[in-house]
């Protein structure tokens, strides 16, 4: 059955957890004992209704403060499709968690409180959706019951979001707008009698109708080698396998591949899933490959299709980064860059741009990155990297930066040009 991955986004208290809880409740995706536990927890909080947001807020701190801190993955299904929803934090200091949760999603669900309209986090989350090249961006104007389901409020927010989308490069055809009141379920699973002026589908109706985007199996073939398998048993003394998780593409026995960085050409002799040989495998599957030719392949190397080679000699490149650390990033600093199984040292040659989230233009005279800043940098690596542009192959065009002293992940990056 087809799987659709969705990430929520929005400012704090916009009602993301409640919306997801309502979606689960109205699709009967909650067990009776789970619902009873949530009902008990709601009464303990002194509420006279079942707080469906508690279905996704799993941390004690989240339930005490009424906010989402960590990323919660929620699974449910309908007769036609399976869903994985990443409920991500809305608070500005947890934006890094939102980026993590959205990194594997095909669609972004952006909530806006009808009373507050577009706020700074809305702008930031729309920009991140553009940065991650989401196939669909669904804007739910929530808490419409608190503005008397006023169509003018909805239309005003809609027009403002369309203007922002044009600025950040979100195509109009990828945008969807739904007026909802998550607490009572208006336009979540079923259409609401309170919005006769809205002629579109409910949220679930839209999700059911979305077409899946281009999968990783349709992208150029990339296989980062994580481990070289050489059994110690005499019966397998000639076996040499290359294990890892297929990054992108579809792979088959008999195909010609190129080993990076050596550029040696070889042919796939066998593919194993566990101990079972298979003829084919595709992106997302963990496999072991063997090659007919005796070529040197090590951990951190990459196998690519002969007809789909990336830029083989990349040491200097430009990337868009989202800064995720309390300590500022300055030009000239060095970090560890992790890309697949590769970990190399890189230096920030130049800060080309730090984005002003209010105007989506370059912040004047700013050369340092603070927490949650987004911008463009020029990087130089100590060794060759096997990269694609993120726009051409997201599976092989993203990386993280790690502080070499604290070992903290400080940024996520997206390759733009070489």
């Amino acid at each position: 059955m087809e799987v659709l991955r969705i990430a929520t986004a929005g400012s704090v208290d916009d009602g993301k957890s409640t919306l997801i809880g309502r979606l689960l409740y109205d699709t009967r995706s909650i067990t009776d004992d789970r619902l009873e536990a949530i009902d008990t927890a709601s009464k303990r909080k002194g509420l006279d209704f079942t707080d469906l947001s508690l279905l996704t807020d799993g941390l004690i701190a989240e339930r005490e403060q009424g906010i989402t801190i960590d990323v919660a993955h929620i699974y449910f299904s309908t007769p036609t499709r399976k869903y994985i929803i990443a409920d991500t934090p809305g608070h500005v200091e947890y934006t890094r968690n939102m980026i993590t949760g959205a990194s594997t999603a095909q669609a972004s669900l952006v909530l806006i409180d009808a009373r507050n309209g577009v706020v700074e986090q809305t702008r930031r989350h729309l920009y991140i959706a553009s940065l991650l090249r989401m196939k669909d961006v669904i804007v739910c104007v929530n808490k419409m019951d608190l503005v008397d389901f006023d169509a003018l409020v909805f239309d005003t927010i809609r027009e403002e979001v369309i203007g922002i989308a044009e600025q950040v490069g979100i195509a109009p055809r990828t945008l969807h707008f739904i007026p909802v009141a998550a607490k009572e379920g208006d336009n979540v699973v079923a259409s609401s009698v309170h919005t006769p002026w809205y002629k579109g589908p409910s949220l679930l109706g839209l999700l059911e109708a979305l077409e899946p985007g281009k999968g990783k199996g349709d992208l150029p073939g990339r296989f980062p080698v994580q481990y070289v398998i050489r059994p110690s048993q005499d019966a397998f003394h000639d076996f040499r396998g290359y294990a890892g998780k297929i990054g992108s593409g579809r792979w088959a026995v008999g195909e010609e591949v190129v080993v990076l960085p050596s550029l040696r050409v070889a042919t796939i002799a066998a593919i194993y899933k566990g101990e079972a040989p298979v003829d084919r495998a595709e992106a997302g599957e963990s496999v072991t490959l063997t090659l007919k030719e005796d070529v040197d392949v090590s951990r951190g190397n990459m196998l690519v299709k002969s007809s789909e080679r990336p830029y083989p000699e990349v040491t200097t490149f430009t990337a868009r980064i989202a800064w995720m650390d309390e300590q500022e990033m300055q030009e000239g600093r060095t970090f560890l860059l992790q890309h697949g199984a590769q970990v190399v040292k890189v230096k920030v040659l130049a800060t080309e741009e730090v984005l002003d989230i209010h105007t989506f233009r370059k912040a004047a005279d700013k050369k340092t990155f603070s927490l949650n800043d987004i911008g463009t940098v020029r990087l130089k690596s100590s060794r060759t990297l096997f990269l694609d542009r993120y726009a051409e192959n997201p599976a092989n065009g993203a990386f993280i930066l790690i502080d070499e002293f604290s070992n903290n992940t400080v940024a996520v990056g997206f390759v733009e040009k070489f």
Side-chain angles (χ1 to χ4, degrees), residues 280-298:
R280 297 178 179 277
E282 63 178 67
E285 296 181 317
S286 295
V287 299
T288 300
L289 305 182
T290 63
L291 304 175
K292 289 183 179 179
E293 293 77 10
D294 186 15
V295 295
D296 182 23
V297 182
S298 305

Side-chain angles (χ1 to χ4, degrees), residues 169-190:
I170 298 175
R173 60 182 171 77
T174 69
L175 272 174
H176 313 270
F177 294 87
I178 306 175
V180 301
K183 185 177 177 180
E184 299 300 331
D186 293 270
N187 289 328
V188 177
V189 169

Side-chain angles (χ1 to χ4, degrees), residues 3 18 88 128 145 210 274 339 341 361 375 379 393 413:
V3 178
T18 301
T88 66
I128 291 170
D145 53 322
L210 290 181
H339 173 254
R361 296 187 179 131
L379 299 173
N393 187 350

Side-chain angles (χ1 to χ4, degrees), residues 9 15 22 35 40 46 70 75 157 168 188 386:
R22 174 57 63 179
L35 186 58
T40 301
D70 200 6
Y75 304 82
I157 293 173
V168 302
V188 177
F386 319 128

